[in-house]
Amino acid sequence: MTRIILIGFMGSGKTTLGRALAKALGLTFIDLDNYIELRHCKSINRIFAERGEEGFRKIERNLLHEVCEFEDVVISSGGGTPCFFDNIDYMNQQGTTIYLQVPNERLLTRLKIAKSRRPLLKDKNDEEIEQFIIEQMQRREPFYAKADYAFTADRLEDKEQIAESVARFRKQFNL
């Protein structure tokens, strides 16, 4: 039974790398945010708007517990998932957690492109996004650091880089 749980800041590549890794390993891929949207028939943005972050985090925790029961999976958590309740400890008990590390500059580049899909960023300009990354990373790093392992995920910008990252990931973790 294999259960790999990818954690890291938004834009770190959890979904991109997770999907490619699961395919390469013949495992099922589960993106926790997508799973939440499917189960609640609402976008993450809408859940945030209706319930606020606290309400969203409760839903997220409940569904994290659900997906962490699945076997032979690669799970992409939300960027904040490890930082609330006892989630990081629970994830560490349920599978192998891997923190995808990406320099702040690369996160900024990725997040500026995708900010409309991110409820915590959608109304921020580039400078505010940069400040948000710095502040949130300071808060979240202690939780991310509790992962079993870390992996540098700064090269996921095209199919070739993704394939190279999957190969490097498999080699690093003997998969």
Side-chain angles (χ1 to χ4, degrees), residues 79-121:
T81 307
C83 310
F84 293 87
F85 307 105
D86 62 346
N87 290 349
I88 187 61
D89 297 326
Y90 179 76
M91 288 187 278
N92 283 334
Q93 293 167 2
Q94 296 301 311
T96 302
T97 52
I98 300 173
Y99 169 28
L100 300 188
Q101 295 178 312
V102 178
N104 287 357
E105 301 78 33
R106 177 70 60 170
L107 291 173
L108 178 61
T109 301
R110 291 176 182 173
L111 293 174
K112 286 191 307 188
I113 296 167
K115 76 178 191 175
S116 65
R117 292 178 285 145
R118 310 229 179 229
L120 296 175
L121 299 181

Side-chain angles (χ1 to χ4, degrees), residues 154-172:
D154 59 341
R155 295 184 39 84
L156 297 170
E157 311 317 312
D158 58 38
K159 289 181 181 182
E160 185 177 307
Q161 288 184 10
I162 294 167
E164 289 170 0
S165 292
V166 168
R168 193 167 40 85
F169 189 100
R170 292 183 74 175
K171 183 176 181 182
Q172 183 175 335

